[in-house]
Amino acid sequence: MTSAREPLEPRSRPWIWVVYLGLFAVVIPWYVPSDAPVRYWLGLPHWAVVSLAAQFAVAVFTLFVVARYWSDAPPDNDAGDAGEHD
């Protein structure tokens, strides 16, 4: 039986990878047709603003995942101070 206090590692959460795939799909402006008229937002092409906003969302989501799911606990099979160096 497993302990209820096991660390929640991000790699064991498929929804995290789905969110990353969706965000990175928005970061790359493949969805803008090459013959589409260029619209400007904040002095930049609209696709650049969307790409920058999506990249910011990747950073914020990464911050959330690290804060919520990353484990700092050493593994149970740690042999004391054998891995530490001065």
Side-chain angles (χ1 to χ4, degrees):
M1 180 172 254
T2 60
S3 170
R5 301 277 306 170
E6 284 186 21
L8 301 171
E9 292 294 328
R11 66 178 176 256
S12 64
R13 308 275 180 194
W15 69 269
I16 291 175
W17 299 111
V18 171
V19 171
Y20 271 124
L21 285 173
L23 288 172
F24 280 117
V26 175
V27 167
I28 302 167
W30 58 271
Y31 49 84
V32 180
S34 60
D35 59 345
V38 179
R39 293 176 291 174
Y40 289 94
W41 298 345
L42 305 172
L44 296 170
H46 73 284
W47 59 265
V49 176
V50 171
S51 183
L52 289 171
Q55 187 58 47
F56 181 75
V58 168
V60 170
F61 183 68
T62 300
L63 178 68
F64 165 75
V65 169
V66 169
R68 176 73 171 95
Y69 295 106
W70 203 276
S71 172
D72 286 340
D76 290 338
N77 60 358
D78 190 16
D81 295 335
E84 295 184 14
H85 299 286
D86 289 337

